[in-house]
Amino acid sequence: MQPGSLTPFLAPQGVAVIGASHDPTKLGYGLARNLVQSGYTGGVHFVNPRRGSLLGHPVYASVAEAPDPVDLAVILTPPPTVPQALEECGQRGIRAAIIASGGFREVGSEGAALEARCVEIARRYGMRIVGPNCIGVIDTHFPLDTTFLQPPGPARGEIAFLSHSGAICAAVIDWLRGQGLGLSSLVSLGNQADVNETDMLAEVAADPDTRVITLYLEGISQGRHFVEEARRITRQKPILALKVGRFESGRRAAASHTGALAGSESGFDAAFLQSGVIRAGTIEEMFLWARALAWCPLPHGTHVAVLTNAGGPGVAASDALEQQGLQLASLSAETISTLQEILPPAASLHNPIDMLASASPEQYARCLKALLEDPGVDSILVIAPPPPMFSAGGVAKAIIPVIQAGEKPVIVTLMGDRLVQEGVEFLRAARIPEYRFPEAAASALAVLARRAQDLDCPEEALLCSTDVDIPRVKSILSNCRPGEFLSQEAALGLMEAYGIPTLQLRLAATPEEAARLAIQEGFPVALKVASPDILHKSDVGGVLLDLGDAAAVSQGFDAVIRAARERRPEARIEGVLVQRMLTSGQDVIAGVVSDPQFGPVAMFGSGGVEVEGLHDVAFALAPLYPRDAERLLDKTWAGRKLQGYRNLPPADRTATRLALAHLAQLAADFPELAEIEINPLRVLPEGQGAFALDVRARLKK
Amino acid sequence: MQPGSLTPFLAPQGVAVIGASHDPTKLGYGLARNLVQSGYTGGVHFVNPRRGSLLGHPVYASVAEAPDPVDLAVILTPPPTVPQALEECGQRGIRAAIIASGGFREVGSEGAALEARCVEIARRYGMRIVGPNCIGVIDTHFPLDTTFLQPPGPARGEIAFLSHSGAICAAVIDWLRGQGLGLSSLVSLGNQADVNETDMLAEVAADPDTRVITLYLEGISQGRHFVEEARRITRQKPILALKVGRFESGRRAAASHTGALAGSESGFDAAFLQSGVIRAGTIEEMFLWARALAWCPLPHGTHVAVLTNAGGPGVAASDALEQQGLQLASLSAETISTLQEILPPAASLHNPIDMLASASPEQYARCLKALLEDPGVDSILVIAPPPPMFSAGGVAKAIIPVIQAGEKPVIVTLMGDRLVQEGVEFLRAARIPEYRFPEAAASALAVLARRAQDLDCPEEALLCSTDVDIPRVKSILSNCRPGEFLSQEAALGLMEAYGIPTLQLRLAATPEEAARLAIQEGFPVALKVASPDILHKSDVGGVLLDLGDAAAVSQGFDAVIRAARERRPEARIEGVLVQRMLTSGQDVIAGVVSDPQFGPVAMFGSGGVEVEGLHDVAFALAPLYPRDAERLLDKTWAGRKLQGYRNLPPADRTATRLALAHLAQLAADFPELAEIEINPLRVLPEGQGAFALDVRARLKK
């Protein structure tokens, strides 16, 4: 076994329970009981100074006495005694410990110090720790249960569950039993003094009994490491994540639009997208999806057939499918004629297929078979409200062999409770997902389609240009002060160094100079007040556009200076910047902001001064993969509009994606940049490029 | 009893079951059984040519033989025999009939003819019909059950359920039993040959046993009548509606932005908003809300305290509350010090309150009492994952008397299944809403807060100006052809007649005339091609803005004509319109489109050419109430921006609301208008008004 291996946590050869108790009201008894009752076949060693025997196993006064094999310790003793227990484990040669006890970092600074001591001891022995303040680990296949929870534990299943919250583990285990859903493994991560979500993710992903991984996260410890691991794992197995604490941190203070719009969740959203992790909104949704992903084949497309015995549920199903971005399949003439043979004349043969209330189990089965054989049908939603003449159990029994013989996903909606219970149980035993309402079924079908699409995408390389001038950026940044915004010239210099086209900005100190520069650059020109203290220049009347001749420019010079002086008397004003104006194209915003957990995150969308109000923006982790750049454009109206809209001709999408990629690369190469924002990026008609017209960039403090 | 009264459907003095059957496999037996087993105390009369007796009641060969009292017939015979049965009912003096049989309009034209015959017979006798193709009526308090569904029927409760789908009725009855939720009444409306959802809505609203009304709708028969009735009823009792078929009809063909953006659901949304009906997305959501509205007092505000025994669920609850627009209450110093006395030092006393895993039932109860007494707390969310040391049942038992003694809504989340079942049952018996996850609980608290806010709003009168020139509109419209767009002059005339300010549009036939008109109007001016065939003028290069002098105007005249001729050679071009330009203010769009179910629906939002892409629009039923006008502004970025944003000064919101109200009134007064659209409506700085700069209007075909 590798030093530092996590294998003993899920597949130990022998477990020492330090703090095992004879008192059935104590958690230390529950832990011992669960370990024994789980059917664990390795060495079981209870440790308690009072010795004796417990549940048929000897109790040792110290872990030193425990005989081989023993490679995992579970510690559930009062917090002050935990460091000593760890020491003894280290001396006994144990290299993995679950600290179940609470009373560490979560209760304040004294507890944090105690936790630090534990980590220090573990480091010394090369020992890995799960916890403290956790409820331990369960593997239903190995089997192993190191928790102290009230029985029964989870049923055997294909889903791994990793959680930052122990209480959620307890609730999920009990709730899943009622849902007829099992787990392959469960890990309560607690305070993560050592082993974190990413470490354990890789461990459970390697488990052949796990088909789907579910995560309950309150944060992510090593953002980029998580993304890399998850991206690798999701090529093999789906990962579903529920991240809570969405609203806790609020928006961070930021001077740019990009920063203001990038709430703390933008980083998580971008990270999950790039790593292929499917983000759920609630625990119910996560396991609704997990059930389908664990039990169903993947569909080859998004066309769904709906088979039901009443009109109302069919309409509700159509709504739900459409809302999920799925389509009702058009049935082939052959299928329709087969259905016609099976069903009475008043039945509706067009998708959704309404077999009428008289539909028998046999009719359900025969129609389902016909639909499975239709090449235009990718997946099927079967719905049965309590049938007036037959039992839902009979329907379930009839369709199960048909579903099992097919290779397409079939999801069943049994609407009701007691009257459909027998059918529910048949379907659960056959590992066919069933839900009570069509909305849940449609959501499950959608996640299957999404997973199929994700796997269809070939692996990509990061967008990374070699034609960048790193020394030039270094030199520019070395002249800038931490926490402050770069001058416009410096910011444009960054663009040029990374191959993002700009328009020259020429500084004029007098009206005459401005006019002369405008003649050199070509009309029309824009004038912008030059001041290191004025960020939102148009807010102070510091921008004049479309000046068509020299006279307008020299008058404009005075107007801009006057307006800026009036509105911001304290600002240092260096003159006026003259810039040629591009008279065609579309304006968008492109930015990058540094996320505390994930580093640089790129933003794209509708720019201008109203960017924060319109909120037409999307985010992606920087640097970008080609798919990220595509997505940024597809997800925003600003990006879709680049394809042409009404009198707007198609704009240069290729140049836009390139600018985004280079901007993201710049931010990734220079993590000292807190934010960069191009607003606007002017995208010219196809083939003519995209220009950074105004750029703001700020160094971290 | 009034002629045409619906009272016999829910409270009959005697019921004749026509088609009662002795064969337990037949629906006609189920119907007889349910009626008898429901405990109905009025006259029970079975009708079947085979006579005899059934379930202790005599069976008559014909309804004519049934003795008094009999004021309701339930007909479940083959469709062709139904008209004759209705005739006999009419002759027997029965004035209310439920036609449960299917095989009418829903199966095609032959069935539709049969249905029409039934209606004709009913009209002749002044008889009311529920159905056909329905499963009948249940009243759990009266009590009465005229359905043929498998037992058990719904438990007694406070919620009325009206449904267009019989299958959904069957599913909901069974499902609600499992949810521990009862119904006061249930009406399956079927094909609504006579009695429709609005008729029955008024009937169940008058039932003192009904506290909440829930609707499953596939459409609405008389849109405006529904809105009036529902608006009246929601002042007394909450109405929740699930409208399915959202995606069925798709967008209607329309030439204006307003028409294109107004999907078929905009009318429903606007109608529900104006009538105070709360629209649910799913059946689960509707009854989740109904439970809270039926059982809880209303809160006085939106500040929620969360009481839990673990960190994870508290974070999830905070997320869910924030997402619902609720706030975490700040606790008073007194409350915090009381909590401090009750809880161990490591507990978290700030909302969400984490009592730690050791929390006892008594601690739950005492902390809850302290929170109920805090004046800053409007409602409370109590969460219990399976407690490691106590039972969820114990927690429930301890908090129930505290909740019942308080006057604030308390919602409980018991997370799990088997381990929390006892607690769930205690709470259901005490009529305290409990859910499995915090998201559902937060959603319930939000609907209570929304209901409280709705009731807080005073009743309003419609915005209706008397200063309108109806004859002028009549005269303008009499010169327009059905289905066609009005000329710009005619459209602007409509605005003027209804007090919506416009800018003069002067038609120039030559460049010289254009320049002369521009000098008269004042610079800058805009030029727009004048053509009845060109709707989107800027799309063809037919608009020039900001022309500052006479030379620019005469050159512009040629440019506009040339561009329009090139792009639309077939268009009739009448010349160029000259219009003074307003150089300040904000542009918005205001429109009205005629909805097939609800008549005129007003739209407001971000205008310009990108209106369809940005989708920053909101809808309200026309004419408007003051609250509707307010909401149109508040719900859109275009409207919020009118309060001022960055360098944009506050704009004239009063004039905007007035323009919206007058536009809506115009559309309501002249239902022959298919659509009207002001794009842009230029809103000047506060006190300076809002001007319709470009107006398109079209008559219905």
Side-chain angles (χ1 to χ4, degrees):
Chain A
M1 204 171 56
Q2 295 289 315
S5 159
L6 302 183
T7 305
F9 287 109
L10 286 154
Q13 296 178 24
V15 182
V17 178
I18 302 173
S21 167
H22 296 78
D23 177 351
T25 69
K26 290 278 159 65
L27 298 180
Y29 175 84
L31 207 166
R33 176 200 58 212
N34 287 0
L35 180 62
V36 171
Q37 291 184 353
S38 71
Y40 174 61
T41 57
V44 172
H45 316 289
F46 297 135
V47 179
N48 188 311
R50 297 192 346 211
R51 296 186 185 266
S53 94
L54 176 59
L55 301 162
H57 294 268
V59 178
Y60 306 102
S62 148
V63 72
E65 298 169 22
D68 279 335
V70 53
D71 52 354
L72 173 65
V74 185
I75 303 174
L76 184 61
T77 60
T81 69
V82 171
Q84 178 59 28
L86 272 181
E87 276 283 354
E88 290 172 18
C89 290
Q91 284 163 13
R92 177 63 186 79
I94 296 172
R95 295 294 171 259
I98 297 169
I99 307 178
S101 320
F104 292 85
R105 185 160 42 99
E106 79 279 10
V107 300
S109 57
E110 214 172 309
L114 201 59
E115 188 168 315
R117 272 182 61 204
C118 293
V119 172
E120 185 272 318
I121 293 164
R123 292 265 150 78
R124 194 143 34 77
Y125 287 103
M127 188 192 296
R128 304 303 305 264
I129 296 178
V130 165
N133 187 30
C134 72
I135 61 158
V137 167
I138 296 174
D139 187 309
T140 59
H141 295 267
F142 185 68
L144 172 75
D145 184 341
T146 75
T147 76
F148 49 73
L149 299 175
Q150 291 183 47
R156 195 168 288 177
E158 302 90 344
I159 302 165
F161 180 53
L162 310 186
S163 171
H164 282 151
S165 160
I168 296 291
C169 288
V172 161
I173 291 171
D174 190 38
W175 177 72
L176 283 182
R177 275 229 164 242
Q179 297 286 307
L181 204 54
L183 294 178
S184 51
S185 58
L186 173 144
V187 181
S188 167
L189 292 156
N191 292 2
Q192 301 195 143
D194 172 28
V195 174
N196 67 24
E197 62 284 331
T198 307
D199 304 327
M200 208 38 105
L201 181 61
E203 191 66 23
V204 299
D207 172 11
D209 293 317
T210 292
R211 297 196 58 187
V212 180
I213 302 161
T214 55
L215 308 175
Y216 180 92
L217 302 174
E218 293 178 354
I220 290 184
S221 328
Q222 304 159 276
R224 289 288 165 157
H225 183 44
F226 174 88
V227 171
E228 282 158 25
E229 282 291 282
R231 189 173 168 91
R232 178 182 64 75
I233 292 165
T234 53
R235 300 299 302 179
Q236 312 299 327
K237 296 182 181 181
I239 303 177
L240 304 174
L242 171 63
K243 154 71 176 59
V244 297
R246 283 172 185 257
F247 293 94
E248 260 187 331
S249 45
R251 305 198 179 287
R252 77 183 63 93
S256 72
H257 297 297
T258 310
L261 282 162
S264 63
E265 291 305 296
S266 313
F268 282 99
D269 278 332
F272 290 145
L273 269 177
Q274 199 175 81
S275 54
V277 171
I278 299 172
R279 183 171 191 168
T282 64
I283 288 176
E284 285 174 288
E285 186 173 59
M286 183 158 73
F287 286 102
L288 181 169
W289 290 344
R291 184 194 298 259
L293 289 164
W295 290 353
C296 289
L298 293 179
H300 293 292
T302 55
H303 293 87
V304 184
V306 178
L307 181 65
T308 174
N309 66 349
V315 179
S318 305
D319 277 7
L321 291 171
E322 183 108 16
Q323 200 148 26
Q324 293 287 346
L326 301 173
Q327 293 83 41
L328 284 173
S330 298
L331 304 184
S332 72
E334 209 186 316
T335 305
I336 290 174
S337 95
T338 309
L339 294 175
Q340 210 155 18
E341 284 165 29
I342 304 168
L343 298 173
S348 169
L349 304 181
H350 288 273
N351 200 5
I353 297 124
D354 177 2
M355 301 182 289
L356 304 183
S358 56
S360 67
E362 197 212 341
Q363 285 174 324
Y364 263 102
R366 290 176 62 199
C367 291
L368 177 58
K369 185 153 180 294
L371 294 174
L372 280 166
E373 282 165 6
D374 188 320
V377 171
D378 300 311
S379 58
I380 299 173
L381 171 48
V382 177
I383 308 179
M389 321 284 283
F390 300 92
S391 76
V395 171
K397 224 193 272 188
I399 62 175
I400 286 171
V402 181
I403 297 170
Q404 288 176 332
E407 282 168 358
K408 295 176 182 175
V410 178
I411 304 261
V412 184
T413 301
L414 295 180
M415 302 181 76
D417 191 80
R418 197 198 291 192
L419 295 175
V420 301
Q421 194 54 40
E422 193 196 21
V424 166
E425 278 159 25
F426 287 151
L427 291 166
R428 287 179 179 175
R431 285 179 154 38
I432 295 164
E434 41 64 45
Y435 305 98
R436 293 295 74 70
F437 290 98
E439 292 81 9
S443 169
L445 287 168
V447 89
L448 292 173
R450 174 177 166 184
R451 177 72 186 150
Q453 277 161 359
D454 283 356
L455 288 182
D456 270 355
C457 293
E459 284 206 58
E460 292 180 322
L462 278 171
L463 288 171
C464 186
S465 166
T466 52
D467 191 18
V468 296
D469 188 348
I470 290 180
R472 181 167 172 199
V473 175
K474 279 194 179 151
S475 134
I476 292 172
L477 296 185
S478 68
N479 289 318
C480 300
R481 272 186 295 184
E484 288 200 359
F485 274 89
L486 277 62
S487 71
Q488 185 67 200
E489 294 81 346
L492 288 174
L494 298 183
M495 298 297 106
E496 285 157 16
Y498 268 65
I500 301 170
T502 63
L503 290 183
Q504 285 282 320
L505 264 179
R506 319 265 319 252
L507 181 65
T510 64
E512 297 70 32
E513 192 182 358
R516 188 171 49 73
L517 289 170
I519 291 164
Q520 280 175 20
E521 292 291 313
F523 291 99
V525 297
L527 299 185
K528 302 177 185 181
V529 66
S531 164
D533 303 320
I534 301 176
L535 276 174
H536 296 293
K537 300 182 174 72
S538 60
D539 285 8
V540 300
V543 176
L544 278 181
L545 302 176
D546 251 332
L547 303 178
D549 55 40
V553 170
S554 53
Q555 281 167 28
F557 183 99
D558 292 332
V560 160
I561 300 276
R562 195 165 52 238
R565 288 240 164 88
E566 261 171 38
R567 304 275 286 273
R568 297 285 296 278
E570 82 294 353
R572 293 164 291 171
I573 292 174
E574 295 165 350
V576 168
L577 297 163
V578 180
Q579 192 176 36
R580 180 166 74 88
M581 281 187 73
L582 299 172
T583 52
S584 67
Q586 302 184 33
D587 282 349
V588 296
I589 190 171
V592 185
V593 66
S594 182
D595 181 89
Q597 308 219 33
F598 297 100
V601 174
M603 183 184 91
F604 175 80
S606 290
V609 293
E610 294 187 29
V611 48
E612 289 175 40
L614 288 173
H615 226 292
D616 173 49
V617 292
F619 294 88
L621 234 53
L624 306 178
Y625 288 93
R627 211 169 302 141
D628 295 321
E630 208 53 59
R631 192 153 39 199
L632 289 173
L633 267 62
D634 289 346
K635 272 170 126 181
T636 53
W637 164 240
R640 293 191 298 275
K641 200 172 45 166
L642 294 179
Q643 295 173 318
Y645 173 76
R646 297 230 161 171
N647 57 335
L648 286 174
D652 199 331
R653 287 169 60 92
T654 309
T656 309
R657 283 189 295 260
L658 264 182
L660 276 168
H662 289 189
L663 181 69
Q665 187 181 346
L666 167 65
D669 288 349
F670 293 90
E672 58 266 50
L673 284 160
E675 38 187 336
I676 321 172
E677 183 171 280
I678 307 176
N679 186 18
L681 176 73
R682 170 69 59 85
V683 187
L684 297 184
E686 266 175 1
Q688 298 177 41
F691 291 81
L693 299 192
D694 201 343
V695 182
R696 289 185 298 139
R698 185 169 64 85
L699 285 174
K700 285 183 186 161
K701 277 189 182 136
Chain B
M1 203 171 57
Q2 294 290 313
S5 159
L6 301 183
T7 305
F9 287 108
L10 287 155
Q13 295 178 24
V15 181
V17 178
I18 303 174
S21 167
H22 295 77
D23 177 352
T25 70
K26 291 279 162 62
L27 297 181
Y29 175 84
L31 207 166
R33 176 201 57 212
N34 286 1
L35 180 63
V36 171
Q37 291 185 353
S38 70
Y40 174 60
T41 56
V44 172
H45 316 288
F46 296 135
V47 178
N48 190 309
R50 295 190 351 208
R51 298 186 181 266
S53 94
L54 175 60
L55 300 161
H57 294 268
V59 179
Y60 305 102
S62 147
V63 71
E65 300 169 21
D68 280 335
V70 53
D71 52 355
L72 173 66
V74 186
I75 304 175
L76 185 60
T77 60
T81 68
V82 171
Q84 178 59 28
L86 272 182
E87 276 284 355
E88 291 172 17
C89 290
Q91 285 162 12
R92 176 63 185 81
I94 297 172
R95 296 293 169 260
I98 297 169
I99 306 178
S101 320
F104 292 84
R105 183 159 42 99
E106 78 280 10
V107 299
S109 57
E110 214 171 310
L114 202 59
E115 188 169 315
R117 271 183 62 204
C118 294
V119 172
E120 185 271 320
I121 294 164
R123 291 266 151 78
R124 194 141 38 76
Y125 287 103
M127 188 192 296
R128 303 304 305 264
I129 296 178
V130 165
N133 187 31
C134 73
I135 61 159
V137 167
I138 296 174
D139 187 309
T140 59
H141 295 268
F142 185 67
L144 172 75
D145 184 340
T146 74
T147 75
F148 48 73
L149 299 174
Q150 290 183 47
R156 195 168 288 178
E158 302 89 345
I159 302 165
F161 180 54
L162 309 187
S163 170
H164 282 151
S165 161
I168 296 292
C169 287
V172 159
I173 291 171
D174 191 37
W175 177 73
L176 283 182
R177 275 231 164 240
Q179 298 287 307
L181 204 55
L183 294 178
S184 51
S185 58
L186 172 144
V187 181
S188 167
L189 292 157
N191 293 1
Q192 301 195 143
D194 171 29
V195 174
N196 67 23
E197 62 285 329
T198 306
D199 304 327
M200 208 38 104
L201 181 61
E203 191 65 24
V204 299
D207 171 12
D209 293 317
T210 291
R211 296 197 59 187
V212 180
I213 301 161
T214 55
L215 308 175
Y216 180 91
L217 303 174
E218 293 178 355
I220 290 183
S221 328
Q222 305 159 275
R224 289 287 164 158
H225 182 45
F226 174 87
V227 171
E228 281 158 27
E229 282 292 281
R231 191 173 166 92
R232 176 181 65 74
I233 293 165
T234 53
R235 299 299 302 179
Q236 312 299 327
K237 296 183 182 182
I239 302 177
L240 306 174
L242 172 62
K243 154 70 178 59
V244 298
R246 283 172 185 258
F247 293 94
E248 260 187 331
S249 46
R251 306 199 178 288
R252 76 183 62 94
S256 73
H257 295 298
T258 310
L261 282 162
S264 63
E265 291 305 296
S266 313
F268 283 99
D269 279 331
F272 290 145
L273 270 176
Q274 198 175 82
S275 55
V277 170
I278 299 172
R279 183 170 191 169
T282 64
I283 288 176
E284 284 174 288
E285 187 172 60
M286 183 158 72
F287 286 102
L288 181 169
W289 290 343
R291 185 194 296 262
L293 288 165
W295 289 354
C296 289
L298 293 180
H300 292 291
T302 56
H303 293 87
V304 183
V306 177
L307 182 65
T308 173
N309 65 349
V315 178
S318 305
D319 278 7
L321 291 171
E322 183 106 18
Q323 200 148 26
Q324 293 287 347
L326 302 173
Q327 293 83 42
L328 284 172
S330 298
L331 304 183
S332 72
E334 208 185 319
T335 304
I336 291 175
S337 96
T338 308
L339 294 175
Q340 210 155 20
E341 285 166 27
I342 304 169
L343 299 173
S348 170
L349 304 181
H350 289 273
N351 199 8
I353 297 124
D354 176 2
M355 301 182 291
L356 303 184
S358 55
S360 66
E362 195 211 341
Q363 283 174 323
Y364 263 102
R366 290 177 61 200
C367 291
L368 177 58
K369 185 155 181 291
L371 294 174
L372 280 166
E373 283 165 5
D374 189 320
V377 171
D378 300 310
S379 59
I380 301 174
L381 172 47
V382 177
I383 308 179
M389 321 286 281
F390 300 92
S391 77
V395 171
K397 223 193 269 188
I399 62 175
I400 285 171
V402 181
I403 296 170
Q404 289 176 331
E407 283 168 357
K408 295 176 182 174
V410 179
I411 304 262
V412 184
T413 301
L414 295 179
M415 302 181 76
D417 191 80
R418 198 197 293 191
L419 295 175
V420 301
Q421 194 53 42
E422 192 196 22
V424 166
E425 279 158 23
F426 288 151
L427 290 166
R428 287 178 179 176
R431 287 184 152 33
I432 294 163
E434 40 64 45
Y435 305 98
R436 294 293 75 69
F437 289 98
E439 292 82 9
S443 169
L445 287 169
V447 89
L448 292 174
R450 175 178 165 183
R451 177 72 186 149
Q453 277 161 358
D454 283 356
L455 288 182
D456 270 354
C457 291
E459 284 207 59
E460 292 181 322
L462 279 171
L463 289 171
C464 186
S465 166
T466 51
D467 192 17
V468 295
D469 187 348
I470 289 179
R472 181 167 172 200
V473 175
K474 279 193 179 151
S475 132
I476 293 173
L477 296 184
S478 68
N479 290 318
C480 301
R481 272 185 296 183
E484 289 199 359
F485 274 89
L486 278 61
S487 69
Q488 186 65 200
E489 294 81 347
L492 288 174
L494 298 183
M495 299 296 107
E496 285 158 17
Y498 268 68
I500 301 169
T502 63
L503 289 184
Q504 284 282 320
L505 264 180
R506 319 266 318 252
L507 180 66
T510 64
E512 297 70 33
E513 192 182 358
R516 188 170 47 74
L517 289 171
I519 292 165
Q520 280 175 18
E521 292 292 313
F523 290 99
V525 298
L527 299 186
K528 301 176 184 181
V529 65
S531 163
D533 303 319
I534 301 176
L535 277 174
H536 296 293
K537 299 180 174 73
S538 60
D539 284 9
V540 300
V543 176
L544 278 181
L545 302 175
D546 250 333
L547 302 177
D549 55 39
V553 168
S554 53
Q555 281 166 30
F557 182 99
D558 292 332
V560 159
I561 298 277
R562 198 166 50 237
R565 287 240 165 86
E566 261 171 38
R567 305 274 287 273
R568 297 286 295 278
E570 82 293 356
R572 291 165 290 171
I573 293 175
E574 296 165 348
V576 167
L577 297 163
V578 180
Q579 192 176 36
R580 180 166 73 88
M581 280 188 74
L582 299 171
T583 52
S584 67
Q586 301 183 33
D587 282 350
V588 296
I589 190 171
V592 184
V593 65
S594 181
D595 181 89
Q597 308 220 32
F598 297 101
V601 173
M603 183 185 90
F604 174 81
S606 290
V609 293
E610 294 187 29
V611 48
E612 289 175 40
L614 287 173
H615 227 294
D616 172 49
V617 291
F619 294 88
L621 235 52
L624 306 177
Y625 288 93
R627 211 169 302 140
D628 295 321
E630 207 54 59
R631 191 153 41 199
L632 289 174
L633 268 61
D634 289 347
K635 271 172 128 180
T636 54
W637 164 240
R640 294 191 297 276
K641 201 173 46 167
L642 295 179
Q643 296 173 317
Y645 173 75
R646 298 234 164 169
N647 57 333
L648 285 174
D652 199 331
R653 286 169 59 91
T654 309
T656 310
R657 281 189 295 260
L658 263 182
L660 277 168
H662 288 189
L663 181 68
Q665 188 181 346
L666 167 64
D669 288 349
F670 293 90
E672 58 266 50
L673 284 161
E675 36 188 337
I676 322 172
E677 183 171 281
I678 307 175
N679 187 18
L681 176 73
R682 170 70 57 85
V683 187
L684 297 185
E686 266 175 0
Q688 297 177 41
F691 291 80
L693 299 192
D694 201 343
V695 183
R696 290 185 299 138
R698 187 169 63 86
L699 284 175
K700 285 184 186 162
K701 276 187 184 142

